[in-house]
Amino acid sequence: MRLNSDAVLPLDDLGWLGDAVGDARVVAIGESSHFNHEFYELRLNLLRHLGIDAYAMESGFPEGWTTHDRLAGGDGPAAQGITSLMGVWTEMRDQLDWMRANGTRFYGIDLPGSNCSLMPGLDAVTAYLAEADPDYTVAPGLRAAASFGAASPFSAPQALAAYTGLEPAQKDALTAGLADLTARLRARRLDYIERTGADAYSRTLHTLGLTVTLDATIREMAGGGTQHLSIRDAGIADTIEWILRREQRLVIGAHNMHVQRTPIIMPGLPVSTPMGMHLAERLRDDYVVIATTSGPGQTLNNSPGFYTGELFTDLEAPDPGSLDGLMAATHDGPFAIDLRRLSAADAKAVQAATQHRIGAGYTEVEPLAAFDILVHIPRVTAAHPDEAALAHTPAEVAEVFAAYLRK
């Protein structure tokens, strides 16, 4: 089955994009997998044509201020403030160069420490308190308890194991310590704002809130709970709402499953509530979702080999009955369709394709409810490591990439 050729929108001429997006305050651009050359390229091309002055991505909120400030004229590599390996690719460097030249502001929207370390968030709060409350010292025991994991995706298994190995009293003390710190920041809000200004205070309070969210996420995972992804995505949605108090319009770059308006349903995992469901409820028509489908090529490796330098794995052609398969059968090259403007026959065909590619696997989805626009990339390839950015990464990241580049 294929869609009518009238549904095809070209990617080499994006004149239709402005009408399709309208005046929506938030435009989310999804990707089927991280670290693919084509998805980085797509985001940059769409960002150029949308002309929106702020861009946010699936990267740590507290660390992201480094990138934010360096794009505005600060010294040092802008990519250094991007977490979860999102910034160590030449394609991201090209986007950051374009953003700097065009005055586009950057924000991270995710939890700190590549979702496995509380320390970047706690360090940011401690640095703020040194100015706002110099006579106060964060309890050394809190910092010691929070230092169970390094801020690197390659350290995630060890971080979770280390947290799991903590005594229950230690875990409880960590959570209580973060709650006490939050109470102090709230109680002394007026004093702190007088000393540092409202913007620095608001940024720090939100950073601490996301650090608390990460603690809850890790606690949920280590305890065998099922809501860790929902906890994380609720925090991401709150971050976007925080950014919208500073920005009139925003482009978001994140995985398809985070931006969709419908629940995340993956085999063997509990149903989760993505960030996109929260934003759809809060923003309604001011939230537009551009998702992606893909053909064969290379995708992020989710096996243990990822941690030793096998970063990518081969990706087969999509299942003919999937959403990706339907798009692949419709047109040979890259193209888009506006799901809100399909004929009745095309809408029926899309609605019947309930399997959507997520890396090398599939998730269940209701396409017409989840997305507004679909972009199909016929072949996906690995992004290209940026040696200049890698020079500023933690040792475990540099070591894994060195192994990858030797292969």
Side-chain angles (χ1 to χ4, degrees):
M1 184 177 291
R2 55 183 295 165
L3 302 179
N4 188 295
S5 60
D6 292 341
V8 172
L9 299 169
L11 290 186
D12 56 356
D13 178 4
L14 290 170
W16 53 268
L17 183 61
D19 289 338
V21 168
D23 296 326
R25 290 195 68 193
V26 176
V27 180
I29 304 172
E31 59 184 3
S32 304
S33 181
H34 295 318
F35 318 143
N36 280 118
H37 165 81
E38 290 74 16
F39 295 135
Y40 276 109
E41 188 176 59
L42 173 68
R43 285 200 301 268
L44 177 53
N45 288 338
L46 294 178
L47 183 61
R48 283 170 170 158
H49 282 80
L50 286 169
I52 297 175
D53 292 333
Y55 175 78
M57 71 180 296
E58 192 180 335
S59 176
F61 174 81
E63 297 95 333
W65 292 100
T66 296
T67 298
H68 179 282
D69 294 344
R70 288 176 179 175
L71 288 181
D75 294 330
Q80 200 169 352
I82 300 178
T83 68
S84 300
L85 305 182
M86 299 293 187
V88 296
W89 311 94
T90 59
E91 291 83 353
M92 190 69 228
R93 182 189 64 200
D94 292 342
Q95 179 175 327
L96 292 173
D97 287 346
W98 181 87
M99 290 172 64
R100 180 184 288 107
N102 288 272
T104 305
R105 292 174 290 280
F106 177 93
Y107 297 90
I109 58 174
D110 212 342
L111 309 185
S114 295
N115 296 293
C116 61
S117 174
L118 304 177
M119 291 309 297
L122 192 55
D123 283 343
V125 174
T126 301
Y128 173 81
L129 287 171
E131 177 183 358
D133 197 351
D135 294 330
Y136 174 75
T137 301
V138 174
L142 176 59
R143 295 185 61 81
S147 62
F148 58 83
S152 162
F154 297 120
S155 299
Q158 295 91 334
L160 183 59
Y163 179 87
T164 302
L166 294 177
E167 294 294 328
Q170 293 176 290
K171 298 173 187 175
D172 292 344
L174 174 57
T175 299
L178 292 171
D180 290 344
L181 197 54
T182 302
R184 185 178 185 88
L185 256 72
R186 291 188 180 280
R188 302 208 58 191
R189 180 179 70 87
L190 297 179
D191 295 333
Y192 290 173
I193 287 175
E194 184 177 358
R195 290 181 180 177
T196 69
D199 185 66
Y201 172 81
S202 176
R203 183 193 304 186
T204 303
L205 185 64
H206 192 74
T207 293
L208 182 53
L210 289 176
T211 307
V212 170
T213 299
L214 179 56
D215 175 61
T217 301
I218 296 172
R219 176 183 282 266
E220 181 81 356
M221 293 176 66
T226 61
Q227 294 304 306
H228 52 88
L229 185 56
S230 294
I231 295 170
R232 174 189 172 197
D233 272 52
I236 294 174
D238 289 344
T239 300
I240 292 165
E241 191 170 32
W242 186 94
I243 295 169
L244 288 174
R245 293 196 285 271
R246 301 168 59 99
E247 302 287 353
Q248 181 57 35
R249 301 185 72 196
L250 186 67
V251 172
I252 299 171
H255 200 287
N256 285 329
M257 70 177 184
H258 292 301
V259 304
Q260 67 187 49
R261 288 193 185 87
T262 53
I264 301 171
I265 305 173
M266 292 188 288
L269 295 176
V271 175
S272 300
T273 302
M275 166 264 290
M277 286 185 69
H278 292 283
L279 295 184
E281 186 270 335
R282 299 175 193 182
L283 298 173
R284 300 186 183 278
D285 291 341
D286 266 334
Y287 182 57
V288 171
V289 183
I290 303 174
T292 55
T293 58
S294 74
Q298 293 177 297
T299 191
L300 181 65
N301 182 9
N302 287 320
S303 77
F306 172 78
Y307 298 97
T308 58
E310 297 174 13
L311 301 182
F312 297 91
T313 188
D314 290 339
L315 184 65
E316 298 180 351
D319 186 320
S322 68
L323 186 60
D324 302 75
L326 174 64
M327 294 286 282
T330 294
H331 188 66
D332 291 336
F335 72 100
I337 59 168
D338 190 329
L339 298 175
R340 301 161 298 180
R341 294 173 172 80
L342 294 176
S343 67
D346 284 345
K348 184 177 180 180
V350 170
Q351 192 65 8
T354 58
Q355 297 293 307
H356 186 203
R357 182 105 83 178
I358 175 171
Y362 291 88
T363 181
E364 294 182 30
V365 71
E366 298 179 39
L368 298 183
F371 311 125
D372 296 303
I373 297 166
L374 280 180
V375 175
H376 182 70
I377 305 299
R379 187 168 187 84
V380 288
T381 58
H384 304 91
D386 180 359
E387 293 187 11
L390 286 169
H392 298 277
T393 58
E396 64 269 19
V397 173
E399 289 170 5
V400 172
F401 269 83
Y404 170 68
L405 292 169
R406 287 196 298 268
K407 294 183 184 294

